[in-house]
Amino acid sequence: MTQKADVIIIGGGLIGLSQALALAKHGITSHVIDRADPASMLASGFDGRTSAISSSSLKMFDAIGFANALHGQGCPIEQIWVSDGLKPGSLDFVPGADDGYLGQMFENRFLRRTLYEAAQSSDAIHLHMPAGIIAKTRDSSGVTVKLDNGAALSADLMIVAEGRQSTTREEAGIKIVHWQYKHSAMVGAIFHEKPHKNIAYEIFYPSGPFAVLPMCDSPDGRHRSAIVWSVDAADAPGYLKLSGRGYAAELHKAMGGILGAVELAAPLSSYKLGFHHAGSITAERLVLIGDSAHGIHPIAGQGLNLGLRDVAALTEVLVDGLRLGLDLGDAQLMDRYSRWRSVDTLMVAMSTDGLNRLFSIPGKTASAVRRLGMGMIQRTRPAKAFFMAEARGESGALPKLLQGVTA
């Protein structure tokens, strides 16, 4: 017997679960499918992976009912300090007294658990995790999916949140523009001697950017921060072979001692950096969200927030469509979502790519030009306000959820 819901969401990660919960808030039912076992994703122990959630994304989480669950669990980002290496001429972004935080840092494990438990308790969300897909169909009448456990699912729309290596996107014949950077990102967390004072540091080196992001103190009161350190891809294996003490010494040198003595607080992981952008984010009864649609350089920490903007926009489009009596897979709705998100995601993607390339140019002349530009921004209030709005995720045509109201 076929199990019917309004939408089928392929991918049960942070973006897929956020989409299901946002739709459930508006009475739209979903099947969420993921081949990963939730037990492994929710395993105890901090793995070093964190996410910066912008203030607009936090407003969306509040609007769909997560205010209490997230309260006090994230570390506020009250200031962003940017520098070209450790040279003089830094740039700092400090919100006004009434502007609120730029965002907050959360452990990914905590976010996954919170979203998964909320989805489990929702009558509007049917979780199929772990489960593999053996067949998918899309036609003018709807979409169907057959699982390896024998279940048959149907809906009006297929939402793809599989991540960068999306097989559903490939099966739909959607091409992507993509390239690899010559960098690898090393991700982890550190204990440090001095308090971070809720400041996020972004230090640009020709070999890649180095971000130090504030986290809440550990349960035993030690100061902590997350790190995302981009280095030449050929150098990353050598760094990762260092002892904990040796790696901490390299970190201390790259940070210029800004937080005092450091030591590793979680296992390190590494991944190669790349860029991709789908040529189309919709097809017949299909829509791409999150990394299935776009993958950007982590230079500004906006990858997850860009996906959450997809979630908010798609929710608004589908809710408006229901109010008009339209089928959720209606081509008009797909076109509206595509026009709304395509330009925004491409602009953010190209901005982060351009910023990375600009700061990767070696030499004293390039460095002097960068410091001159940073100095001009530092002295120009409208320019700083623009960049802070970007950091908060509050620029452009904001969906209602990102303004803190339901769609």
Side-chain angles (χ1 to χ4, degrees):
M1 180 177 176
T2 302
Q3 304 172 44
K4 180 76 166 67
D6 295 320
V7 302
I8 291 173
I9 300 173
I10 301 179
L14 295 178
I15 294 299
L17 289 176
S18 295
Q19 184 68 78
L21 289 160
L23 293 174
K25 180 69 176 180
H26 297 85
I28 297 175
T29 60
S30 62
H31 290 297
V32 181
I33 308 165
D34 201 300
R35 61 177 174 266
D37 187 344
S40 62
M41 293 193 299
L42 304 175
S44 61
F46 176 44
D47 63 7
R49 288 177 291 180
T50 58
S51 291
I53 306 297
S54 69
S55 58
S56 63
S57 295
L58 287 169
K59 288 177 182 177
M60 181 182 79
F61 283 137
D62 286 351
I64 62 177
F66 288 96
N68 292 334
L70 300 182
H71 180 71
Q73 299 296 320
C75 181
I77 300 174
E78 297 182 1
Q79 179 180 347
I80 300 176
W81 186 88
V82 182
S83 69
D84 182 18
L86 296 172
K87 305 177 184 71
S90 62
L91 176 61
D92 64 87
F93 298 102
V94 185
D98 299 326
D99 292 339
Y101 305 135
L102 293 167
Q104 293 189 45
M105 291 296 302
F106 290 91
E107 294 182 20
N108 281 12
R109 180 175 57 89
F110 165 75
L111 289 175
R112 283 196 298 269
R113 183 192 306 117
T114 301
L115 294 173
Y116 179 76
E117 290 176 352
Q120 267 190 318
S121 64
S122 173
D123 293 336
I125 301 172
H126 310 286
L127 296 176
H128 306 270
M129 304 167 65
I133 297 174
I134 60 175
K136 312 183 191 86
T137 61
R138 292 182 293 112
D139 56 38
S140 59
S141 62
V143 301
T144 61
V145 169
K146 292 184 179 179
L147 304 181
D148 56 7
N149 59 15
L153 314 177
S154 67
D156 296 324
L157 176 67
M158 186 178 293
I159 301 173
V160 182
E162 288 177 302
R164 291 182 177 234
Q165 306 300 324
S166 172
T167 55
T168 308
R169 180 188 65 215
E170 293 177 5
E171 291 165 359
I174 297 175
K175 305 297 184 183
I176 60 169
V177 176
H178 65 98
W179 56 78
Q180 291 293 123
Y181 297 108
K182 297 179 180 180
H183 296 154
S184 288
M186 299 180 291
V187 179
I190 56 173
F191 294 122
H192 43 84
E193 179 184 7
K194 300 177 183 178
H196 49 56
K197 300 180 181 178
N198 295 347
I199 300 173
Y201 297 90
E202 188 87 46
I203 306 170
F204 289 95
Y205 291 107
S207 58
F210 179 27
V212 184
L213 306 162
M215 294 177 59
C216 295
D217 286 351
S218 66
D220 59 357
R222 303 184 72 184
H223 305 312
R224 293 190 303 171
S225 289
I227 59 165
V228 182
W229 189 6
S230 299
V231 297
D232 289 337
D235 296 335
Y239 277 110
L240 295 174
K241 289 179 182 177
L242 293 172
S243 66
R245 182 174 296 182
Y247 192 87
E250 293 296 323
L251 283 173
H252 185 272
K253 186 191 307 181
M255 293 166 63
I258 52 178
L259 294 176
V262 301
E263 63 179 277
L264 293 179
L268 291 168
S269 58
S270 175
Y271 61 94
K272 291 185 177 180
L273 298 178
F275 170 100
H276 74 267
H277 196 275
S280 172
I281 57 174
T282 62
E284 183 181 28
R285 293 190 178 274
L286 180 142
V287 60
L288 307 179
I289 61 174
D291 284 353
S292 293
H294 41 70
I296 64 176
H297 196 285
I299 195 168
Q302 291 300 308
L304 179 58
N305 291 302
L306 196 60
L308 292 174
R309 287 171 78 101
D310 294 342
V311 168
L314 181 58
T315 300
E316 187 165 331
V317 166
L318 296 182
V319 171
D320 286 351
L322 281 181
R323 289 170 181 159
L324 294 171
L326 297 176
D327 181 300
L328 289 178
D330 191 282
Q332 296 176 67
L333 302 182
M334 298 300 93
D335 182 61
R336 182 187 170 196
Y337 173 77
S338 180
R339 285 186 285 108
W340 192 350
R341 295 303 300 139
S342 293
V343 174
D344 178 53
T345 55
L346 183 60
M347 290 292 289
V348 173
M350 297 311 296
S351 295
T352 55
D353 178 73
L355 194 60
N356 174 65
R357 294 179 187 277
L358 173 64
F359 277 93
S360 296
I361 301 172
K364 293 181 179 180
T365 301
S367 181
V369 171
R370 288 193 294 265
R371 293 202 305 276
L372 175 63
M374 290 166 64
M376 293 175 64
I377 294 172
Q378 179 73 6
R379 295 188 296 271
T380 308
R381 185 174 298 177
K384 292 188 73 174
F386 169 79
F387 283 108
M388 283 194 286
E390 286 290 322
R392 288 194 189 94
E394 295 176 351
S395 61
L398 280 187
K400 292 176 183 176
L401 281 176
L402 295 181
Q403 300 174 50
V405 296
T406 54

